[in-house]
Structure formats: structure tokens, C-alpha cells
Amino acid sequence: MFRLVQHAFRASHHVLKRPFLCSSTRTYLSDAYQAFDKWDEALATDILKKTNISELLIDVEDKLIRKKHISSLDIEILAAKLTHVETTEDLKLAEGILEKFRHTPEALDFQPSLAYSLVRNYLDLGQKERLLPILGDKVKYGIFLDRFSANLLLNAFLLEKKYKDAAQICADLMLQDQDDDQLTRALALNACYNYYLFATEEDFKSDVVEEEDEDIVKVKVQFVRNITNDDHFDLTDKRKLLGKTLAYFSRDANNSHVVSLQILGYTLYKKFGRVCDVLQTVLDNDKLQVDEGIIKILEKELDEYVYNPAEFKENLPQSPYRRLELIPEAARVIIKEKLLPKLREQKKIVTMDLKQFVETNLIEQAALADKRDTPKHEQQIAIWTRERQEQLDDQIHRFVIDEKKANLMERLRLLEERDELLNFFENESRIVMHSHEKEFADENFEDVRAPGEHEYFELARQHYHWDRMEPRRSLHLDKKLRDDEMSDVRDWPPYKYLAENWKYDLVDYVPLNEKMKRRKEDLPPSGKPPYYKQFFF
């Protein structure tokens, strides 16, 4: 019934519109680099051929809900088979499964092939925009791109001129500080610079909604964290984030165009002290120059910059592990009064076409990567395919071993029962003696007693009388019993919760000295009588 409902629910949603692939489509990366044939060969393995994606989605979700356990191999197969889904609801279901799996202990076995399979299949389905929130939330999904999947994703966004989405992918790579290659840097520079050119002020507005004073609700908490800003993961300013990404991918600059983009990145990042370092490097190197348009942007940012004390208050204090930054006012003086005049004097400020450079540089790096990295890409796909098959073989081997162990234990149990039946008369005396040695519980109904019942009534009887030192009264009104006659009470150990300690039972207010007395004498701090006293007095 559960499966029928799932199938009916999924069938009611829209069918995915698959992209129409044409061989004449303009592309930066060649078909050889994208390894379409090798990827199709990986999808044609027996482990994926024999898997039905609809049944797999339902089975995996059922395991996560009922057993809270699933192997990483199931998620690997699911990610590789996503290209066969037919509705958007299947993708939502797969993303929910990935989120649940992320919070299981088996998530430690995450493999890079999982992210690669997701990227390839989402590109084939034409749903690459759905990857942006998945990649942005590492705690929820835990997906990290490798260099091949990042290149494929950036290439797809750049071909459609979706520079904003491509810049978001670049920012994710920068924040993770992952190893990249020259092709990734070329793709990132193209994406970030074009996004800077076409972005508007609306694109750089913060998504954080400022609450009004009427909507603020103050809640008492145990402690308040210090407001800090590590200047990396805590970056919320989109302009600074773009600048840091641009500066990151233009590091190790070896020509004038990349140096100009690096200056632009540090300018947007508001790190004018590092701009001073780059300009000094240009002055010291006879082969380097700076773009005139970038210098104008730098001068404009320096003039418009306003010191914000709150911004620097949030920064972490300086440490030996963080470089010492120049304050903006000092950097402004050094740049405008010393470095820029020297650059103009040495004629190092020239006009450059950076837009044409990022395009040409990307085409050149793609041609080099086609010869250099295509075999590595195909080899990596083959390695992931082999590892998936080895993981399946190992899981089958362990399953067979566990099944054989279970069969052997069941067979031993049956043999022991049969041996006991066949040899009962020979071992009758031993069995009888063994049964007498055991302490069997009394099965008479009258003698059955609930756990703790005896202790409960013993305590109640002990405190039946308010003062143990006075003569007790029996059930007969005309008869008194002395203390020595109460043999069942006389020799009992003293109990610390006596009746005379509860002088304020019927009063809500308890004086402070009485509370301190109870605490000193190891009495209940609540001031309430025990459970048995509430019902017996």
C-alpha cells in the first residue's frame, strides 16, 4: 500500500523537460574532456543496469524512516541513477534522502564520486540550478565539488551566460579552499569578471532582513556568544565575497591582465593594504602593467570609503597566523600619494580589454586541458566505477558470511534439541539435579509481589505513628503497647525523613532557615513530604 501511494503521488507531478543536446552548440570544454563516452560506459555497468530508480527511491527512504540505517553504496547508486528520474518529485525525494543520510553515521563514507554523479545527472536533466542551494548548505547535504565536476558545472552556466550562478559556484570553491587547476581558474575569472560587469546594485544587496523594534522579542538565554567575524565563512557582503573570490582565483598572477583582476578583487574586498602590495610588485617588475579602468575603480572606492567602527569591531583580533593589515586611511595615502604617481611616471597604467582577455584565456586553457587532463578525467571515472563495484562485492561477501553464521547457529540449536530428546533417559539424573540447583520463582498467585512493594509498605508502617518514642496504640482502644513490645519497629535502622521534620506541610511559605536546615540534614530540597507520607497522613 505504501508503494502504491508513493507511485500515485509522484505520477501527479510534472514530467522533467530534458534539454535538447545539439552537436553544433558552442562550448568551452570539448566533448573529449567532458568524457561523455566514458560516463555512458560507467552507467552501463551491471550494478546500475539492474537497478530500478523508482523502486530504489522508495526502498532507500523506507530504510531511513524505519531502520535509520543505510549504506553509502545505496546513496552512490541512487546518485548515479538520477538521470532516469521522470518527475521533479523524484528529485525532491532524492534530495530529502540525501539530507537524511547526511545525519547518519554512515555519512562518514561519503565519496567524491557522489558529488560528481549528482552534477553529471543534474546537467543531463537540465536542473543544474537546483544544485545551488545543495552546494551552499554543507551542513545539510555535505556535497563538495571536485575539480572535474566544478569545471563541468561552470562551463554549463557560462554557456548560458548565467554569470551570477557561476559566481556562486566560484565562491563555494573559494570558501572551501579546494585544489584547483588552471582551467578552473580561467572559468572562475570569466564568471566573476562578467558578473561584476553585468551586476546591478540589487544583486549586491544583502539578503538579511533587518527586524523592526516592534518585531524584536527578547529571550533569556544561558550565555551570549561574542560577535566575531572570521572574514571568510562569516562574509555576508556579496560585493566583498565576489572580491575575495576574484582575488583568490587570480593568485600567483604572472601577467598584467591577471594582476589587474587581482587588484579589482582586493578593491571590492576592501583590502587596500593588499592592493599596496600588488602595486608595489608591479613597480618592481618591468613586465607587469595595470589596466587604467581598474585604477579608476580603485580611486573611486578609495574616495567613497567611509570608516565604519562596527565593521572592525566584529573582526577577530590580530594573531601570528593572520597577516597585519593596513588601516584604510594609511593605505589610501600610500596608494594615492606614492604608488599611483610612480605608476604613471613609469607609464605602467595602460588600457586593456579585460573582457576579451578572460574569454581568450578560457579558450586557451580549455585547449590545453583537452590534451593534458582528458586522460586524467577518464581515468578518474574508471577508478570511481571500480571502487563502486569493489564496495558492492565486499558488501555481498559480508552478507553471505553473516547468513552462513546465522544458518550455522540455527543448525547447532536444532542439533542440541535433538540430542536432548535422544539422550534424555541417559542424562535424566543430571537434568533433575541441575533443575534443583536453580532458584525458581514462587508461582503461587497469593505470593506474587510487585517490585518494590515490600519496601513501600515497610516504610509506611514505620511512619504510621508520629512519635516513635511514645507508647503506640493498638487497634483496640482500651489497650496500649509499650515500645519494647513493638518488636517489628524497635530494631529497625533510623530513617532520616521523620515526621517531625515536616512542620510546614500545609503552608506554601518555608522560611530560609528551615530550607538551610533541610539542606544541611540531607532532606529533600523541594520541601514536600515523601510519596508515602502524602497518602498515609
Side-chain angles (χ1 to χ4, degrees):
M1 186 64 184
F2 175 72
R3 298 195 178 197
L4 292 176
V5 172
Q6 286 283 351
H7 281 294
F9 183 69
R10 295 209 316 270
S12 63
H13 289 74
H14 296 291
V15 178
L16 286 174
K17 296 181 180 179
R18 299 177 182 272
F20 178 73
L21 299 178
C22 180
S23 59
S24 61
T25 304
R26 174 178 169 273
T27 178
Y28 293 111
L29 305 181
S30 64
D31 294 344
Y33 180 86
Q34 299 183 60
F36 290 113
D37 296 338
K38 198 67 177 179
W39 177 245
D40 293 339
E41 181 182 344
L43 295 179
T45 55
D46 294 338
I47 185 176
L48 298 179
K49 265 187 173 182
K50 299 177 180 179
T51 304
N52 187 301
I53 183 62
S54 300
E55 296 180 359
L56 181 62
L57 283 170
I58 298 174
D59 292 341
V60 170
E61 185 184 29
D62 186 56
K63 286 182 182 178
L64 284 172
I65 293 176
R66 298 177 183 272
K67 300 181 180 180
K68 307 294 183 182
H69 172 77
I70 191 176
S71 65
S72 60
L73 179 62
D74 294 334
I75 300 297
E76 289 277 342
I77 297 175
L78 177 62
K81 289 288 292 185
L82 279 181
T83 186
H84 296 284
V85 298
E86 297 179 355
T87 63
T88 55
E89 184 61 24
D90 289 335
L91 286 181
K92 292 181 181 179
L93 183 60
E95 293 166 2
I97 290 173
L98 182 63
E99 177 185 355
K100 294 175 184 176
F101 177 73
R102 172 65 175 171
H103 296 85
T104 60
E106 289 74 17
L108 294 174
D109 298 331
F110 257 26
Q111 300 294 329
S113 57
L114 177 63
Y116 184 84
S117 299
L118 286 176
V119 170
R120 293 296 301 237
N121 290 328
Y122 272 74
L123 289 176
D124 293 342
L125 295 172
Q127 301 290 321
K128 55 184 176 294
E129 289 80 6
R130 297 178 66 97
L131 285 171
L132 296 176
I134 295 177
L135 295 174
D137 198 338
K138 302 298 182 185
V139 176
K140 191 174 182 180
Y141 298 100
I143 300 300
F144 297 85
L145 296 176
D146 63 291
R147 63 168 182 161
F148 295 115
S149 57
N151 293 342
L152 294 176
L153 195 56
L154 288 174
N155 174 68
F157 280 125
L158 290 179
L159 292 180
E160 298 181 7
K161 296 185 178 180
K162 295 181 178 180
Y163 301 118
K164 182 177 181 179
D165 297 336
Q168 185 173 343
I169 300 297
C170 298
D172 177 73
L173 296 176
M174 180 273 300
L175 291 176
Q176 302 307 321
D177 197 12
Q178 296 178 352
D179 295 334
D180 53 8
D181 54 4
Q182 294 299 326
L183 178 59
T184 307
R185 297 187 186 187
L187 289 165
L189 290 177
N190 192 320
C192 294
Y193 184 70
N194 281 289
Y195 175 55
Y196 171 75
L197 293 180
F198 294 103
T200 60
E201 292 298 328
E202 294 292 331
D203 296 327
F204 290 126
K205 281 188 176 180
S206 176
D207 297 333
V208 179
V209 180
E210 296 183 359
E211 299 180 354
E212 299 181 358
D213 295 339
E214 299 179 356
D215 299 334
I216 297 177
V217 178
K218 295 184 178 180
V219 180
K220 185 178 180 180
V221 295
Q222 295 181 353
F223 60 91
V224 178
R225 295 185 181 275
N226 293 329
I227 301 178
T228 58
N229 182 10
D230 64 355
D231 210 22
H232 191 72
F233 292 106
D234 295 331
L235 275 178
T236 57
D237 192 333
K238 295 183 178 180
R239 191 184 296 271
K240 288 185 177 181
L241 191 62
L242 175 63
K244 187 169 185 177
T245 304
L246 194 58
Y248 174 77
F249 285 103
S250 59
R251 66 188 189 279
D252 304 331
N254 54 5
N255 61 66
S256 301
H257 295 84
V258 180
V259 168
S260 300
L261 293 175
Q262 189 179 21
I263 294 175
L264 175 61
Y266 284 135
T267 302
L268 298 177
Y269 188 26
K270 298 294 188 295
K271 297 295 182 181
F272 301 113
R274 303 186 188 183
V275 174
C276 295
D277 299 337
V278 178
L279 293 178
Q280 187 62 46
T281 303
V282 174
L283 287 172
D284 297 338
N285 194 332
D286 297 335
K287 298 181 180 179
L288 296 180
Q289 295 176 325
V290 186
D291 178 46
E292 184 178 4
I294 300 299
I295 295 299
K296 293 181 180 179
I297 296 174
L298 173 60
E299 292 177 339
K300 180 181 178 182
E301 291 290 338
L302 287 173
D303 295 335
E304 295 179 354
Y305 182 81
V306 178
Y307 176 73
N308 185 7
E311 178 181 354
F312 289 91
K313 184 179 180 181
E314 295 178 358
N315 290 336
L316 291 174
Q318 295 292 340
S319 69
Y321 304 100
R322 299 181 66 228
R323 58 179 297 174
L324 184 63
E325 299 285 350
L326 286 175
I327 60 175
E329 288 75 6
R332 179 187 304 170
V333 174
I334 295 174
I335 292 173
K336 300 190 72 173
E337 297 183 3
K338 295 182 179 180
L339 297 178
L340 291 184
K342 290 183 180 180
L343 290 172
R344 292 189 175 92
E345 181 181 353
Q346 298 181 14
K347 298 182 180 180
K348 286 185 172 290
I349 301 178
V350 297
T351 303
M352 301 179 186
D353 191 352
L354 295 180
K355 182 175 177 57
Q356 181 63 32
F357 166 75
V358 294
E359 191 77 15
T360 306
N361 181 53
L362 176 55
I363 295 174
E364 293 176 356
Q365 293 297 332
L368 294 175
D370 188 18
K371 301 177 182 178
R372 181 180 63 246
D373 295 338
T374 298
K376 297 180 182 179
H377 191 183
E378 295 179 351
Q379 183 181 5
Q380 188 63 64
I381 295 176
I383 291 174
W384 285 333
T385 305
R386 184 172 66 252
E387 288 178 350
R388 188 184 302 121
Q389 185 63 41
E390 291 176 354
Q391 190 176 359
L392 176 64
D393 296 339
D394 179 69
Q395 188 169 338
I396 293 175
H397 179 67
R398 286 187 284 106
F399 176 77
V400 171
I401 291 177
D402 294 340
E403 188 176 9
K404 287 183 178 180
K405 286 182 179 180
N407 293 335
L408 287 174
M409 296 301 295
E410 180 66 18
R411 189 174 180 182
L412 286 174
R413 187 184 65 82
L414 294 175
L415 288 174
E416 289 178 356
E417 292 180 357
R418 184 173 180 84
D419 180 77
E420 185 177 352
L421 290 174
L422 293 176
N423 302 323
F424 173 77
F425 294 101
E426 298 178 3
N427 302 325
E428 182 179 4
S429 61
R430 184 174 58 84
I431 294 174
V432 172
M433 293 298 294
H434 181 66
S435 63
H436 285 302
E437 293 176 358
K438 292 185 178 179
E439 295 181 359
F440 293 97
D442 193 351
E443 297 181 357
N444 295 329
F445 179 77
E446 293 80 1
D447 298 329
V448 175
R449 190 168 55 191
E453 181 181 357
H454 177 70
E455 294 79 3
Y456 177 85
F457 284 104
E458 291 294 341
L459 292 176
R461 185 174 60 173
Q462 178 184 357
H463 295 282
Y464 186 80
H465 299 281
W466 286 85
D467 190 3
R468 296 177 57 191
M469 301 307 295
E470 293 182 359
R472 271 68 172 174
R473 289 186 178 273
S474 66
L475 296 178
H476 302 280
L477 300 178
D478 57 347
K479 182 180 180 182
K480 290 186 178 181
L481 296 178
R482 295 196 307 271
D483 186 57
D484 54 357
E485 296 177 355
M486 300 291 294
S487 60
D488 56 339
V489 177
R490 180 182 54 201
D491 298 330
W492 287 1
Y495 190 70
K496 57 184 178 181
Y497 296 146
L498 297 179
E500 58 266 17
N501 294 323
W502 311 102
K503 299 178 181 178
Y504 303 92
D505 289 345
L506 304 178
V507 183
D508 295 335
Y509 172 75
V510 179
L512 180 61
N513 58 352
E514 183 66 18
K515 288 185 178 181
M516 298 302 296
K517 176 184 176 183
R518 292 173 181 176
R519 181 178 301 178
K520 184 177 179 180
E521 296 179 1
D522 195 19
L523 300 175
S526 60
K528 295 182 180 179
Y531 177 81
Y532 58 85
K533 185 175 183 303
Q534 296 180 25
F535 287 89
F536 285 90
F537 294 99

